[in-house]
Amino acid sequence: MKAAKFDYERAVSLQQIQDALAGEPGGVRLMGGSQSLGPMLNLRLVRPERVLDVSAVPELQQVSTVNAQVRIGAAVTHAQIEDGLHEALRGHMMQKVAGRIAYRGVRNRGTLGGSLAHADPAADWVLTCVALGARVNVRGSGGTRSVPMADFMVAAYTTVLEAGEFIESVDVPAVSATARWGYYKFTRKVGEFADASCACYFDPATRTARVVIGAMDGAPRFLPELAAKVAAHGAAALAGDTIAAALQPILAQRDPAHQELFRTVVERSLQQALGLKG
Amino acid sequence: MAEISIQINGRKQSHQAEARTHLGDFIREKSRLTGTNLSCEHGVCGACTVLVDGRPVRSCITFAGACEGHEVRTVEGYDDDPIMLRLRSAFSEHHALQCGFCTPGMLATSRDIVLRLPEADEARVRIELSGNICRCTGYQGITAAILSVLQALREQPDDQVQALRAAVVQHVQQDWTQGGFVTFEADQEEVSTVESVAADAGSGEKGKGQAIQGGFDAGFPAAQVWAFMTDLPQVAACLPGAVIESQEGASVQGKIAIKFGPMSAAFKGHATLERDEAHRTAVLRGEGVDSLSQSRARGDVQYQVTAQGETGSRVSVELVYALQGPLAQFSRSGLVQDFVRRMIAEFGKNVNLRLEKPLAQGEQPAVAQFNPVRMFFSILWDRFKGFFRRS
Ligand SMILES: Cc1cc2nc3c(=O)[nH]c(=O)nc-3n(C[C@H](O)[C@H](O)[C@H](O)COP(=O)(O)OP(=O)(O)OC[C@H]3O[C@@H](n4cnc5c(N)ncnc54)[C@H](O)[C@@H]3O)c2cc1C
Ligand code: FES
Ligand code: FES
């Protein structure tokens, strides 16, 4: 199928995006890499009057480091992160995860901001950014605000972005010598959205411990007790059926096969963080 | 229509085209370069892959307008490319093409593998190829062809290929095995901040169908909320997409509309409200048919208003529903649960708004402002992905 008619415009500045959204917040759709929007347009699941391509706005392509935080512009692509184009992200959890998103052809265009704004429950950036405790920097006509990633996604395909607002950048912790992390997703075929996924991030220096599962019905879900246990006891915390027990309240409604999938992704993600398996 | 100019295979191509034209159509229909094939047109099969600034990109989900100022290379334009020349003969040697439909896209991806991943082994090649589907299942030959080119280049490096590789900027993360894990006491506050999604608790199979529980707080005394919640037209006005057409006592005729892109459903039917004043509980029993899709829906919405202090109350809602017909296909239970939870939240918001600003005497309640449209798009989208995943 072909997209319904729309007008296309390429933004060159933040101000231009802001003005367009302020003018007609309902009629304008931002376009990052069009790797999610493109299919939706082609299937006519969305029919905007105007599309504003934000992928070429210089401010949205920048990466900088401030106070042990890496600020990543919304239009930075998955492939740029995968290739370690920006020094601050080399060796970062983000770099490893980037290479597992979709296929290289999609990664060459898909953007971090577009992925978070699309808020697919199974998306890799959504889960990774929650595990990292990222903050999403949002800009609108009323100025900017910074939203913790844990609060950013409200439900499937729904975020706290208000009409007229857009993602300017995302802050993630800089590479840390003490941090340990894991990421595991189960897919039927390489490059697909996850059927079950788990990201974990531990850093004794900041006393951070997060275990988060993705590919749920809505936003990723935390397993705080499991995270604290693993932080305190390391591999010993995994003895017995600790993981299954931690998942039980969240997955009670799912069939046993699904529960087993989630148990496995949590286990493998934690094993990576614990240095037990690559 | 506007003039779109793109550099394709070293030549500037300027054509009148609509903004909605994707790169694949621009290449085929405007520039008449029909070597590029289109199949799924939503990014899944890889058939349409071309190079944009030397990198593989899916031309069906990349819009032509977004390629102005960039350089596109298609299967017609590889004659002077040292990697492609090798791939071409390797493809024929290893029987890597059968009907040839996937070949232009496969070549674009293969070139990228040879360029970026000189050390790739078979497993890696297969992973990299996973975004390109071959209907003739020629993967064995394609993989062999790529491996043979990689091997030949390792044995006898080619200056031209070396030059191309040197121009690629990438800092591959060599090893990600991490050091030992040091145990520590986690900061509890940090880990338990999130409550953005309510627990799935209480959902599941119930005698008559699927049950979903939810609720919302109202910042008004229970008696006032109860009075409001048993006034059918008022309740309907807060219910996203609902319209009451006639009322007779505790019975109403009406419809609830849900529109989602190519599909739309409007359940027309009736509902009855049974109320229990003593316990401030009520059940709204409804039933309806969507004439377009011939889907039927039946549901009981049970709610209870309980006081929370002097000035607040809690409205607990339980929905038990059953859906039959085509639409039922789209009701993967988790997504419907999520949808209903959000609908309840939206309903709660509207109830609070309406209680804050009661209608003037004689004023008709407006239909609730809500976008089930957008919400269902997204849910449907997931369904679509589900279909393609299985195909
Ligand atoms: C075949 C295929 C497989 C895929 N597999 C995966 C996968 O395994 N894992 C995964 O995580 N993803 C996957 N994706 C999705 C992919 O990662 C997309 O790139 C990404 O989700 C969307 O990013 P985009 O830049 O292309 O955004 P677009 O498609 O351009 O936009 C998506 C949404 O975000 C909005 N938007 C864009 N930029 C902004 C901004 N700066 N501020 C506010 N709103 C904005 C748009 O209006 C739109 O609503 C897949 C996609 C395809 C086609
Ligand atoms: S036609 Fe473009 S990916 Fe299938
Ligand atoms: S050769 Fe026929 S589709 Fe691949």
Side-chain angles (χ1 to χ4, degrees), chain B residues 16-54:
Chain B
Q16 288 288 318
E18 293 198 59
R20 62 172 158 170
T21 310
H22 59 56
L23 178 62
D25 277 350
F26 188 89
I27 290 169
R28 287 178 56 87
E29 288 174 11
K30 301 293 176 179
S31 301
R32 308 303 298 161
L33 293 164
T34 51
T36 299
N37 291 328
L38 290 168
S39 178
C40 71
E41 284 191 272
H42 61 267
V44 173
C45 74
C48 66
T49 308
V50 299
L51 302 181
V52 176
D53 297 336

mmCIF file of all heavy atoms in Angstrom, chain B residues 16-54:
data_model
loop_
_atom_site.group_PDB
_atom_site.id
_atom_site.type_symbol
_atom_site.label_atom_id
_atom_site.label_comp_id
_atom_site.label_asym_id
_atom_site.label_seq_id
_atom_site.Cartn_x
_atom_site.Cartn_y
_atom_site.Cartn_z
ATOM 1 N N GLN B 16 9.039 15.472 -11.079
ATOM 2 C CA GLN B 16 7.886 15.907 -10.312
ATOM 3 C C GLN B 16 7.378 14.691 -9.546
ATOM 4 O O GLN B 16 7.112 13.651 -10.146
ATOM 5 C CB GLN B 16 6.775 16.396 -11.254
ATOM 6 C CG GLN B 16 7.074 17.724 -11.915
ATOM 7 C CD GLN B 16 6.982 18.873 -10.934
ATOM 8 O OE1 GLN B 16 6.067 18.926 -10.111
ATOM 9 N NE2 GLN B 16 7.944 19.788 -10.979
ATOM 10 N N ALA B 17 7.273 14.824 -8.251
ATOM 11 C CA ALA B 17 6.786 13.682 -7.477
ATOM 12 C C ALA B 17 6.064 14.196 -6.242
ATOM 13 O O ALA B 17 6.278 15.327 -5.805
ATOM 14 C CB ALA B 17 7.943 12.780 -7.066
ATOM 15 N N GLU B 18 5.206 13.350 -5.699
ATOM 16 C CA GLU B 18 4.493 13.747 -4.489
ATOM 17 C C GLU B 18 5.354 13.465 -3.270
ATOM 18 O O GLU B 18 6.210 12.575 -3.296
ATOM 19 C CB GLU B 18 3.193 12.955 -4.388
ATOM 20 C CG GLU B 18 2.234 13.336 -5.489
ATOM 21 C CD GLU B 18 0.829 12.908 -5.151
ATOM 22 O OE1 GLU B 18 0.337 13.360 -4.103
ATOM 23 O OE2 GLU B 18 0.253 12.119 -5.911
ATOM 24 N N ALA B 19 5.088 14.208 -2.225
ATOM 25 C CA ALA B 19 5.881 14.054 -1.002
ATOM 26 C C ALA B 19 5.765 12.639 -0.448
ATOM 27 O O ALA B 19 6.688 12.129 0.160
ATOM 28 C CB ALA B 19 5.411 15.058 0.049
ATOM 29 N N ARG B 20 4.629 12.002 -0.715
ATOM 30 C CA ARG B 20 4.453 10.652 -0.155
ATOM 31 C C ARG B 20 5.191 9.579 -0.951
ATOM 32 O O ARG B 20 5.138 8.406 -0.600
ATOM 33 C CB ARG B 20 2.967 10.318 -0.101
ATOM 34 C CG ARG B 20 2.331 10.305 -1.469
ATOM 35 C CD ARG B 20 0.931 9.774 -1.379
ATOM 36 N NE ARG B 20 0.133 10.199 -2.516
ATOM 37 C CZ ARG B 20 -1.067 9.719 -2.768
ATOM 38 N NH1 ARG B 20 -1.591 8.825 -1.978
ATOM 39 N NH2 ARG B 20 -1.756 10.153 -3.793
ATOM 40 N N THR B 21 5.832 9.967 -2.042
ATOM 41 C CA THR B 21 6.556 8.993 -2.857
ATOM 42 C C THR B 21 7.750 8.459 -2.086
ATOM 43 O O THR B 21 8.607 9.223 -1.657
ATOM 44 C CB THR B 21 7.081 9.654 -4.157
ATOM 45 O OG1 THR B 21 6.004 10.356 -4.769
ATOM 46 C CG2 THR B 21 7.664 8.623 -5.101
ATOM 47 N N HIS B 22 7.807 7.153 -1.918
ATOM 48 C CA HIS B 22 8.997 6.638 -1.245
ATOM 49 C C HIS B 22 10.111 6.434 -2.266
ATOM 50 O O HIS B 22 9.885 6.446 -3.483
ATOM 51 C CB HIS B 22 8.692 5.412 -0.395
ATOM 52 C CG HIS B 22 8.103 4.229 -1.093
ATOM 53 N ND1 HIS B 22 8.707 3.626 -2.164
ATOM 54 C CD2 HIS B 22 6.968 3.529 -0.846
ATOM 55 C CE1 HIS B 22 7.974 2.598 -2.561
ATOM 56 N NE2 HIS B 22 6.905 2.519 -1.781
ATOM 57 N N LEU B 23 11.301 6.285 -1.755
ATOM 58 C CA LEU B 23 12.466 6.216 -2.633
ATOM 59 C C LEU B 23 12.343 5.092 -3.652
ATOM 60 O O LEU B 23 12.718 5.238 -4.819
ATOM 61 C CB LEU B 23 13.737 6.061 -1.778
ATOM 62 C CG LEU B 23 15.043 5.936 -2.547
ATOM 63 C CD1 LEU B 23 15.331 7.187 -3.373
ATOM 64 C CD2 LEU B 23 16.203 5.658 -1.585
ATOM 65 N N GLY B 24 11.778 3.960 -3.226
ATOM 66 C CA GLY B 24 11.639 2.821 -4.131
ATOM 67 C C GLY B 24 10.805 3.178 -5.353
ATOM 68 O O GLY B 24 11.179 2.868 -6.500
ATOM 69 N N ASP B 25 9.681 3.849 -5.147
ATOM 70 C CA ASP B 25 8.833 4.246 -6.271
ATOM 71 C C ASP B 25 9.500 5.322 -7.115
ATOM 72 O O ASP B 25 9.351 5.341 -8.344
ATOM 73 C CB ASP B 25 7.477 4.764 -5.752
ATOM 74 C CG ASP B 25 6.513 3.614 -5.475
ATOM 75 O OD1 ASP B 25 6.834 2.474 -5.864
ATOM 76 O OD2 ASP B 25 5.451 3.860 -4.859
ATOM 77 N N PHE B 26 10.225 6.206 -6.459
ATOM 78 C CA PHE B 26 10.915 7.259 -7.200
ATOM 79 C C PHE B 26 11.922 6.618 -8.166
ATOM 80 O O PHE B 26 11.996 6.971 -9.345
ATOM 81 C CB PHE B 26 11.637 8.200 -6.226
ATOM 82 C CG PHE B 26 12.215 9.431 -6.882
ATOM 83 C CD1 PHE B 26 11.461 10.588 -7.022
ATOM 84 C CD2 PHE B 26 13.518 9.419 -7.364
ATOM 85 C CE1 PHE B 26 11.993 11.726 -7.629
ATOM 86 C CE2 PHE B 26 14.068 10.552 -7.971
ATOM 87 C CZ PHE B 26 13.300 11.702 -8.107
ATOM 88 N N ILE B 27 12.659 5.654 -7.649
ATOM 89 C CA ILE B 27 13.672 4.979 -8.460
ATOM 90 C C ILE B 27 13.034 4.234 -9.631
ATOM 91 O O ILE B 27 13.458 4.332 -10.772
ATOM 92 C CB ILE B 27 14.461 3.976 -7.579
ATOM 93 C CG1 ILE B 27 15.346 4.715 -6.580
ATOM 94 C CG2 ILE B 27 15.294 3.041 -8.440
ATOM 95 C CD1 ILE B 27 15.939 3.795 -5.504
ATOM 96 N N ARG B 28 11.979 3.504 -9.335
ATOM 97 C CA ARG B 28 11.364 2.654 -10.362
ATOM 98 C C ARG B 28 10.492 3.446 -11.323
ATOM 99 O O ARG B 28 10.587 3.284 -12.537
ATOM 100 C CB ARG B 28 10.496 1.569 -9.709
ATOM 101 C CG ARG B 28 11.279 0.461 -9.018
ATOM 102 C CD ARG B 28 10.332 -0.537 -8.364
ATOM 103 N NE ARG B 28 9.384 -1.092 -9.343
ATOM 104 C CZ ARG B 28 9.649 -2.151 -10.085
ATOM 105 N NH1 ARG B 28 10.795 -2.783 -9.944
ATOM 106 N NH2 ARG B 28 8.775 -2.583 -10.961
ATOM 107 N N GLU B 29 9.635 4.276 -10.758
ATOM 108 C CA GLU B 29 8.610 4.873 -11.603
ATOM 109 C C GLU B 29 8.996 6.222 -12.188
ATOM 110 O O GLU B 29 8.532 6.580 -13.265
ATOM 111 C CB GLU B 29 7.295 4.959 -10.831
ATOM 112 C CG GLU B 29 6.742 3.559 -10.690
ATOM 113 C CD GLU B 29 5.511 3.454 -9.833
ATOM 114 O OE1 GLU B 29 4.943 4.514 -9.504
ATOM 115 O OE2 GLU B 29 5.140 2.326 -9.496
ATOM 116 N N LYS B 30 9.798 6.967 -11.461
ATOM 117 C CA LYS B 30 10.205 8.268 -11.987
ATOM 118 C C LYS B 30 11.491 8.143 -12.783
ATOM 119 O O LYS B 30 11.623 8.677 -13.872
ATOM 120 C CB LYS B 30 10.380 9.278 -10.850
ATOM 121 C CG LYS B 30 9.127 9.496 -10.010
ATOM 122 C CD LYS B 30 8.042 10.180 -10.813
ATOM 123 C CE LYS B 30 6.759 10.295 -10.003
ATOM 124 N NZ LYS B 30 5.692 10.975 -10.749
ATOM 125 N N SER B 31 12.442 7.409 -12.235
ATOM 126 C CA SER B 31 13.729 7.298 -12.922
ATOM 127 C C SER B 31 13.797 6.082 -13.832
ATOM 128 O O SER B 31 14.791 5.886 -14.528
ATOM 129 C CB SER B 31 14.859 7.233 -11.890
ATOM 130 O OG SER B 31 14.842 8.390 -11.091
ATOM 131 N N ARG B 32 12.771 5.294 -13.832
ATOM 132 C CA ARG B 32 12.686 4.085 -14.675
ATOM 133 C C ARG B 32 13.868 3.146 -14.482
ATOM 134 O O ARG B 32 14.343 2.519 -15.423
ATOM 135 C CB ARG B 32 12.536 4.464 -16.163
ATOM 136 C CG ARG B 32 11.418 5.439 -16.466
ATOM 137 C CD ARG B 32 10.079 4.965 -16.020
ATOM 138 N NE ARG B 32 9.626 3.721 -16.675
ATOM 139 C CZ ARG B 32 8.678 2.945 -16.184
ATOM 140 N NH1 ARG B 32 8.079 3.251 -15.057
ATOM 141 N NH2 ARG B 32 8.316 1.863 -16.824
ATOM 142 N N LEU B 33 14.351 3.078 -13.261
ATOM 143 C CA LEU B 33 15.409 2.126 -12.950
ATOM 144 C C LEU B 33 14.729 0.952 -12.245
ATOM 145 O O LEU B 33 14.573 0.946 -11.030
ATOM 146 C CB LEU B 33 16.472 2.771 -12.054
ATOM 147 C CG LEU B 33 17.279 3.893 -12.730
ATOM 148 C CD1 LEU B 33 18.019 4.733 -11.698
ATOM 149 C CD2 LEU B 33 18.258 3.290 -13.730
ATOM 150 N N THR B 34 14.296 -0.018 -13.045
ATOM 151 C CA THR B 34 13.398 -1.036 -12.492
ATOM 152 C C THR B 34 14.133 -2.255 -11.937
ATOM 153 O O THR B 34 13.511 -3.267 -11.623
ATOM 154 C CB THR B 34 12.388 -1.493 -13.567
ATOM 155 O OG1 THR B 34 13.125 -1.836 -14.732
ATOM 156 C CG2 THR B 34 11.418 -0.377 -13.891
ATOM 157 N N GLY B 35 15.427 -2.143 -11.814
ATOM 158 C CA GLY B 35 16.171 -3.248 -11.206
ATOM 159 C C GLY B 35 15.851 -3.407 -9.736
ATOM 160 O O GLY B 35 15.909 -4.508 -9.183
ATOM 161 N N THR B 36 15.510 -2.329 -9.079
ATOM 162 C CA THR B 36 15.156 -2.399 -7.662
ATOM 163 C C THR B 36 13.753 -2.969 -7.522
ATOM 164 O O THR B 36 12.826 -2.493 -8.176
ATOM 165 C CB THR B 36 15.210 -0.989 -7.029
ATOM 166 O OG1 THR B 36 16.538 -0.492 -7.153
ATOM 167 C CG2 THR B 36 14.813 -1.018 -5.561
ATOM 168 N N ASN B 37 13.601 -3.993 -6.709
ATOM 169 C CA ASN B 37 12.289 -4.620 -6.542
ATOM 170 C C ASN B 37 11.622 -4.226 -5.236
ATOM 171 O O ASN B 37 12.294 -4.033 -4.229
ATOM 172 C CB ASN B 37 12.431 -6.144 -6.594
ATOM 173 C CG ASN B 37 12.812 -6.612 -7.985
ATOM 174 O OD1 ASN B 37 12.424 -5.986 -8.977
ATOM 175 N ND2 ASN B 37 13.567 -7.691 -8.063
ATOM 176 N N LEU B 38 10.311 -4.124 -5.310
ATOM 177 C CA LEU B 38 9.528 -3.830 -4.111
ATOM 178 C C LEU B 38 8.641 -5.022 -3.820
ATOM 179 O O LEU B 38 8.050 -5.589 -4.728
ATOM 180 C CB LEU B 38 8.660 -2.596 -4.341
ATOM 181 C CG LEU B 38 9.419 -1.276 -4.437
ATOM 182 C CD1 LEU B 38 8.508 -0.180 -4.956
ATOM 183 C CD2 LEU B 38 9.985 -0.890 -3.074
ATOM 184 N N SER B 39 8.564 -5.374 -2.548
ATOM 185 C CA SER B 39 7.708 -6.507 -2.219
ATOM 186 C C SER B 39 6.769 -6.157 -1.073
ATOM 187 O O SER B 39 5.626 -5.814 -1.273
ATOM 188 C CB SER B 39 8.573 -7.711 -1.894
ATOM 189 O OG SER B 39 7.790 -8.790 -1.528
ATOM 190 N N CYS B 40 7.274 -6.177 0.156
ATOM 191 C CA CYS B 40 6.368 -5.993 1.296
ATOM 192 C C CYS B 40 5.966 -4.537 1.493
ATOM 193 O O CYS B 40 4.901 -4.234 1.994
ATOM 194 C CB CYS B 40 7.027 -6.500 2.576
ATOM 195 S SG CYS B 40 8.392 -5.468 3.149
ATOM 196 N N GLU B 41 6.823 -3.629 1.133
ATOM 197 C CA GLU B 41 6.607 -2.187 1.311
ATOM 198 C C GLU B 41 6.331 -1.759 2.743
ATOM 199 O O GLU B 41 5.683 -0.755 2.982
ATOM 200 C CB GLU B 41 5.499 -1.675 0.381
ATOM 201 C CG GLU B 41 6.005 -1.552 -1.046
ATOM 202 C CD GLU B 41 5.051 -0.803 -1.951
ATOM 203 O OE1 GLU B 41 4.152 -1.444 -2.527
ATOM 204 O OE2 GLU B 41 5.200 0.414 -2.037
ATOM 205 N N HIS B 42 6.808 -2.531 3.687
ATOM 206 C CA HIS B 42 6.830 -1.965 5.035
ATOM 207 C C HIS B 42 8.085 -2.349 5.811
ATOM 208 O O HIS B 42 8.072 -2.411 7.027
ATOM 209 C CB HIS B 42 5.540 -2.226 5.799
ATOM 210 C CG HIS B 42 5.255 -3.686 5.995
ATOM 211 N ND1 HIS B 42 4.486 -4.391 5.136
ATOM 212 C CD2 HIS B 42 5.654 -4.540 6.941
ATOM 213 C CE1 HIS B 42 4.425 -5.641 5.541
ATOM 214 N NE2 HIS B 42 5.130 -5.767 6.636
ATOM 215 N N GLY B 43 9.139 -2.591 5.074
ATOM 216 C CA GLY B 43 10.440 -2.698 5.727
ATOM 217 C C GLY B 43 10.868 -4.078 6.178
ATOM 218 O O GLY B 43 11.923 -4.227 6.776
ATOM 219 N N VAL B 44 10.070 -5.086 5.894
ATOM 220 C CA VAL B 44 10.356 -6.392 6.464
ATOM 221 C C VAL B 44 11.223 -7.292 5.574
ATOM 222 O O VAL B 44 12.052 -8.048 6.069
ATOM 223 C CB VAL B 44 9.033 -7.116 6.828
ATOM 224 C CG1 VAL B 44 9.287 -8.542 7.254
ATOM 225 C CG2 VAL B 44 8.325 -6.357 7.938
ATOM 226 N N CYS B 45 11.074 -7.194 4.241
ATOM 227 C CA CYS B 45 11.686 -8.218 3.385
ATOM 228 C C CYS B 45 13.063 -7.874 2.843
ATOM 229 O O CYS B 45 13.815 -8.753 2.444
ATOM 230 C CB CYS B 45 10.754 -8.551 2.233
ATOM 231 S SG CYS B 45 10.699 -7.266 0.962
ATOM 232 N N GLY B 46 13.391 -6.600 2.774
ATOM 233 C CA GLY B 46 14.715 -6.200 2.305
ATOM 234 C C GLY B 46 14.887 -6.200 0.795
ATOM 235 O O GLY B 46 15.957 -5.841 0.284
ATOM 236 N N ALA B 47 13.859 -6.584 0.044
ATOM 237 C CA ALA B 47 13.987 -6.658 -1.419
ATOM 238 C C ALA B 47 14.386 -5.316 -2.024
ATOM 239 O O ALA B 47 15.107 -5.255 -3.007
ATOM 240 C CB ALA B 47 12.666 -7.121 -2.028
ATOM 241 N N CYS B 48 13.915 -4.235 -1.419
ATOM 242 C CA CYS B 48 14.071 -2.908 -2.008
ATOM 243 C C CYS B 48 15.363 -2.213 -1.588
ATOM 244 O O CYS B 48 15.527 -1.024 -1.834
ATOM 245 C CB CYS B 48 12.886 -2.045 -1.594
ATOM 246 S SG CYS B 48 12.896 -1.727 0.190
ATOM 247 N N THR B 49 16.247 -2.937 -0.913
ATOM 248 C CA THR B 49 17.450 -2.313 -0.361
ATOM 249 C C THR B 49 18.342 -1.703 -1.443
ATOM 250 O O THR B 49 18.679 -2.360 -2.433
ATOM 251 C CB THR B 49 18.260 -3.342 0.458
ATOM 252 O OG1 THR B 49 17.376 -3.963 1.396
ATOM 253 C CG2 THR B 49 19.407 -2.687 1.203
ATOM 254 N N VAL B 50 18.692 -0.447 -1.268
ATOM 255 C CA VAL B 50 19.632 0.244 -2.157
ATOM 256 C C VAL B 50 20.670 0.921 -1.267
ATOM 257 O O VAL B 50 20.535 0.928 -0.039
ATOM 258 C CB VAL B 50 18.928 1.311 -3.033
ATOM 259 C CG1 VAL B 50 17.869 0.674 -3.921
ATOM 260 C CG2 VAL B 50 18.311 2.425 -2.166
ATOM 261 N N LEU B 51 21.687 1.494 -1.854
ATOM 262 C CA LEU B 51 22.669 2.202 -1.046
ATOM 263 C C LEU B 51 22.355 3.698 -1.047
ATOM 264 O O LEU B 51 22.114 4.286 -2.097
ATOM 265 C CB LEU B 51 24.083 1.979 -1.599
ATOM 266 C CG LEU B 51 24.553 0.523 -1.703
ATOM 267 C CD1 LEU B 51 25.984 0.465 -2.233
ATOM 268 C CD2 LEU B 51 24.468 -0.178 -0.343
ATOM 269 N N VAL B 52 22.330 4.280 0.130
ATOM 270 C CA VAL B 52 22.212 5.734 0.247
ATOM 271 C C VAL B 52 23.488 6.196 0.940
ATOM 272 O O VAL B 52 23.788 5.718 2.036
ATOM 273 C CB VAL B 52 20.957 6.153 1.048
ATOM 274 C CG1 VAL B 52 20.934 7.678 1.238
ATOM 275 C CG2 VAL B 52 19.685 5.712 0.349
ATOM 276 N N ASP B 53 24.239 7.028 0.284
ATOM 277 C CA ASP B 53 25.555 7.437 0.773
ATOM 278 C C ASP B 53 26.395 6.199 1.122
ATOM 279 O O ASP B 53 27.095 6.161 2.133
ATOM 280 C CB ASP B 53 25.427 8.351 1.999
ATOM 281 C CG ASP B 53 24.712 9.659 1.664
ATOM 282 O OD1 ASP B 53 24.737 10.056 0.484
ATOM 283 O OD2 ASP B 53 24.122 10.263 2.573
ATOM 284 N N GLY B 54 26.276 5.200 0.303
ATOM 285 C CA GLY B 54 27.106 4.011 0.463
ATOM 286 C C GLY B 54 26.618 2.999 1.486
ATOM 287 O O GLY B 54 27.248 1.968 1.687
#
